Amino acid sequence: MLPLRQFACSWWSCLLNSRAPCVKTLVHGDQRRLFNTSNSRMTIMPAWVIDRYGSNDVLRFTKNAGFPIINYPNEVVVQVHAAGLNPIDVSMRGGYGAATMAMKRDPLNINQSGSEFPLILGRDMSGVIMECGLDVAPAYFKEGDEVWAAIPPWKQGSLAEFVVLSANEVSKKPKCLSHIEAAAVPYVAATAWSALVNTGGLNKDNCAKKRILILGGSGGVGTFSIQMLKAWGAHVTVTCSQNAERLVRGLGVDHVVDYTAGPVEVPLRALEKFDLVLDNVGGDTESWALGLLKPWCGAKYVTLVTPFLRNTDQLGIADGMLQTGVTVASKALKHLSKGVHYRWGMFAPNGLALDDISEMVDAGKIRAVVEEEFTFSQVPQAMLKVEKGHARGKTVVKISSGEDSSE
């Protein structure tokens, strides 16, 4: 069994966490290696990249992207079979979070501005391990293992044939899912886990009969959260449009409120109050959503729509983080005086959480929700699909032409 590990709530600190005992902090020997095939040493690969930030026309296909190199002994090279797309990919394409991601890639500010290019997008991945670093124990991962992962935004993404990741970021893929299905899960699963478990304090042992409200229940995070919470015995209410009601009902939702029928807060106020509200919508929801919580009972409002990256983009790292701290502290104190807790949720890479989620998938408690599948040549169309919003599950790109293990 793996030892338990305490994750910090903020995703930017999670880079330093390790999956013991296969990860060591010191690099010994020359660990910069290229993947060897039986015929040649690979140095390039096909990928979709961007060379500058902008709209969809900045996407460029190349057959000459740099092949990922193992730089640390705890890393693995994975051949990508399928990649899932998320709204964060559209935002990153436009430069959202660029200042913070640059700090994560280059904390000493050694490289020049723009050194992140060419940048590969894609935060979800399902594929096969092709090479392991020296400290990756075979008991955990070995060549040929089918794995899935949520890729941190400061790393090169999955819209390429290969990707290099830390062993603590990957997990064995559920046996019952194809690579296409598996690529629809990791990023939204890690985000939901961070928001509901790390920040919201929920788990399989304390969730029974708790009343949970999900604002925006038909997207990737919403559809995953519904299934995990229902598997843990919670009573789940969601907001979505009328044409998404069938989808969320099929996932086990107890109550649905149609946000297109009028001000959504009106029917929600008529319901029994909630133990936790997960906000995937943002906007003006903060002005009324906290009033739906049970006061003085430890109830929490957790929003995934935060100004953190916008602050650092506009103000710089130091001033942006200071502004962020002031904002969240003032809001938390304001609402604590009313008997409820105000929290921000953020994506955090978490291989151990994906281990638990994989077991839930194989047990039939969670299924992948794929709205549409695209080929590798259709990446621009796939990005436009995500950019339009109103998702009914996930958009997935098939990368590898190899056989899918479940087919």
Side-chain angles (χ1 to χ4, degrees):
M1 297 233 354
L2 294 175
L4 293 177
R5 181 176 63 206
Q6 183 67 37
F7 272 82
C9 293
S10 55
W11 53 259
W12 56 89
S13 68
C14 288
L15 182 64
L16 300 179
N17 291 328
S18 61
R19 179 189 291 266
C22 65
V23 178
K24 295 181 181 179
T25 57
L26 294 178
V27 180
H28 50 82
D30 183 6
Q31 192 62 28
R32 299 178 63 87
R33 295 185 289 139
L34 299 177
F35 170 64
N36 287 299
T37 67
S38 57
N39 299 319
S40 63
R41 182 179 292 267
M42 295 182 66
T43 59
I44 58 174
M45 66 177 177
W48 283 91
V49 302
I50 63 172
D51 302 303
R52 68 186 190 280
Y53 297 119
S55 57
N56 213 47
D57 59 0
V58 302
L59 286 166
R60 174 176 65 89
F61 177 75
T62 177
K63 293 183 179 180
N64 299 310
F67 195 89
I69 299 172
I70 289 181
N71 287 299
Y72 300 98
N74 64 307
E75 291 181 331
V76 296
V77 173
V78 182
Q79 181 180 22
V80 181
H81 282 235
L85 296 183
N86 298 275
I88 186 66
D89 294 304
V90 177
S91 299
M92 288 178 64
R93 186 196 66 195
Y96 177 70
T100 304
M101 303 314 159
M103 179 190 71
K104 292 300 299 183
R105 297 186 191 100
D106 184 24
L108 299 180
N109 198 27
I110 295 173
N111 298 319
Q112 295 180 348
S113 176
S115 61
E116 69 268 30
F117 300 121
L119 178 64
I120 302 173
L121 302 175
R123 299 302 108 194
D124 276 310
M125 183 281 303
S126 181
V128 177
I129 291 180
M130 305 304 291
E131 185 178 17
C132 296
L134 297 177
D135 282 356
V136 179
Y140 295 100
F141 300 109
K142 61 184 182 299
E143 293 179 12
D145 282 348
E146 295 186 329
V147 295
W148 61 350
I151 303 173
W154 53 87
K155 292 190 174 184
Q156 292 285 34
S158 56
L159 292 177
E161 282 202 348
F162 296 88
V163 67
V164 63
L165 294 168
S166 171
N168 67 302
E169 294 161 351
V170 301
S171 171
K172 298 288 183 63
K173 179 182 77 68
K175 296 181 178 62
C176 69
L177 295 186
S178 68
H179 284 295
I180 291 291
E181 294 168 327
V185 177
Y187 189 85
V188 295
T191 302
W193 189 279
S194 176
L196 296 172
V197 179
N198 296 352
T199 305
L202 300 178
N203 58 62
K204 63 181 179 180
D205 298 319
N206 68 6
C207 215
K209 298 183 179 179
K210 284 194 175 179
R211 290 179 52 79
I212 313 297
L213 169 63
I214 301 174
L215 300 174
S218 63
V221 173
T223 53
F224 177 85
S225 299
I226 290 167
Q227 296 180 83
M228 185 171 73
L229 292 169
K230 290 305 300 177
W232 288 349
H235 181 283
V236 180
T237 298
V238 304
T239 65
C240 64
S241 63
Q242 186 178 21
N243 60 17
E245 180 171 354
R246 182 177 179 182
L247 168 65
V248 298
R249 290 282 189 190
L251 298 176
V253 161
D254 298 287
H255 190 76
V256 179
V257 177
D258 178 10
Y259 69 79
T260 65
V264 71
E265 63 268 29
V266 175
L268 288 174
R269 286 179 180 138
L271 302 176
E272 182 183 343
K273 291 189 180 293
F274 297 93
D275 296 286
L276 186 141
V277 174
L278 176 63
D279 186 359
N280 298 303
V281 177
D284 67 347
T285 54
E286 286 188 15
S287 65
W288 50 263
L290 284 102
L292 304 175
L293 293 168
K294 299 175 182 178
W296 307 111
C297 294
K300 296 183 179 71
Y301 166 86
V302 181
T303 179
L304 290 170
V305 185
T306 76
F308 171 68
L309 293 180
R310 186 180 70 242
N311 285 345
T312 55
D313 285 343
Q314 294 177 351
L315 304 175
I317 298 297
D319 290 343
M321 293 184 71
L322 178 61
Q323 178 63 51
T324 297
V326 170
T327 300
V328 70
S330 62
K331 289 186 176 184
L333 289 172
K334 171 186 174 183
H335 294 293
L336 187 60
S337 67
K338 300 176 183 179
V340 296
H341 297 275
Y342 176 94
R343 297 286 188 270
W344 286 358
M346 296 182 182
F347 163 78
N350 193 335
L352 293 181
L354 289 178
D355 289 345
D356 290 341
I357 292 162
S358 182
E359 293 179 3
M360 296 175 72
V361 172
D362 279 332
K365 297 178 180 179
I366 293 176
R367 65 180 175 88
V369 182
V370 178
E371 182 178 14
E372 193 167 353
E373 176 186 339
F374 292 83
T375 65
F376 197 23
S377 64
Q378 295 175 315
V379 165
Q381 296 95 309
M383 290 287 286
L384 287 176
K385 167 70 177 62
V386 175
E387 190 170 7
K388 289 178 181 178
H390 303 289
R392 303 291 179 264
K394 290 292 294 292
T395 297
V396 179
V397 177
K398 185 175 183 179
I399 306 294
S400 172
S401 59
E403 291 188 9
D404 197 316
S405 63
S406 71
E407 296 175 347

